[in-house]
Amino acid sequence: MEPMAPPAQKRRPMAEINVVPYIDVMLVLLIIFMVTAPMLVQTVPVDLPNVDATPTEIEPEDNTIIVSVNAAGLYFVERGDDDPKAMALADVADYAGKITRQVPATKLLIRGDENVAYGKVVQLMGGLQAAGISNVGLITEAPDPQASR
């Protein structure tokens, strides 16, 4: 009879997961999203008139609707995450009216191009007023102090 070999030790399954690589991937993705998020905002190119006025601070978490009127007199609702499409005045007023009825604290701002006919902006304001929106602001740019020298 042969001598008995010592019984082989069985390896127990390891019940731990190394999460360090997952954390590294998560941090890299977080940085990528933080860098690319500001570039995803689509706006309508508008040449705003220069006006000397006190700036209004708007917090990003505020409920704000921005309606733009470009040089051709087309209306756009800037929703922030998608490419704005031209809309009819009635559609803009209907959309803004629905939002302000649901969230009464919503601010409505108009960005009118410097070269757009004044009547287009007035028509927009009238359409918004007809939809029950009476608190409307206008967005302008401060004049360049270097330009007057």
Side-chain angles (χ1 to χ4, degrees), residues 50-116:
N50 293 325
V51 177
D52 191 15
T54 306
T56 303
E57 295 296 323
I58 298 174
E59 296 296 322
E61 59 271 357
D62 286 348
N63 294 323
T64 306
I65 299 173
I66 298 176
V67 180
S68 296
V69 185
N70 68 3
L74 299 174
Y75 302 107
F76 298 87
V77 176
E78 296 183 17
R79 297 181 180 110
D81 59 344
D82 55 358
D83 191 24
K85 303 280 188 258
M87 298 174 70
L89 177 59
D91 294 336
V92 172
D94 184 50
Y95 173 81
K98 286 179 184 176
I99 298 294
T100 55
R101 279 190 291 279
Q102 289 178 354
V103 184
T106 301
K107 299 175 185 173
L108 197 131
L109 301 173
I110 298 174
R111 294 177 61 216
D113 192 280
E114 185 175 35
N115 299 316
V116 71

Side-chain angles (χ1 to χ4, degrees), residues 7-92:
Q9 290 185 353
K10 293 184 177 179
R11 293 181 59 112
R12 299 178 78 189
M14 191 168 87
E16 296 178 5
I17 298 175
N18 187 3
V19 296
V20 174
Y22 299 117
I23 293 172
D24 291 342
V25 169
M26 180 203 59
L27 291 174
V28 168
L29 289 173
L30 177 67
I31 291 171
I32 290 171
F33 286 126
M34 287 173 54
V35 170
T36 58
M39 292 183 248
L40 297 177
V41 176
Q42 299 289 330
T43 60
V44 177
V46 174
D47 187 18
L48 295 174
N50 293 325
V51 177
D52 191 15
T54 306
T56 303
E57 295 296 323
I58 298 174
E59 296 296 322
E61 59 271 357
D62 286 348
N63 294 323
T64 306
I65 299 173
I66 298 176
V67 180
S68 296
V69 185
N70 68 3
L74 299 174
Y75 302 107
F76 298 87
V77 176
E78 296 183 17
R79 297 181 180 110
D81 59 344
D82 55 358
D83 191 24
K85 303 280 188 258
M87 298 174 70
L89 177 59
D91 294 336
V92 172

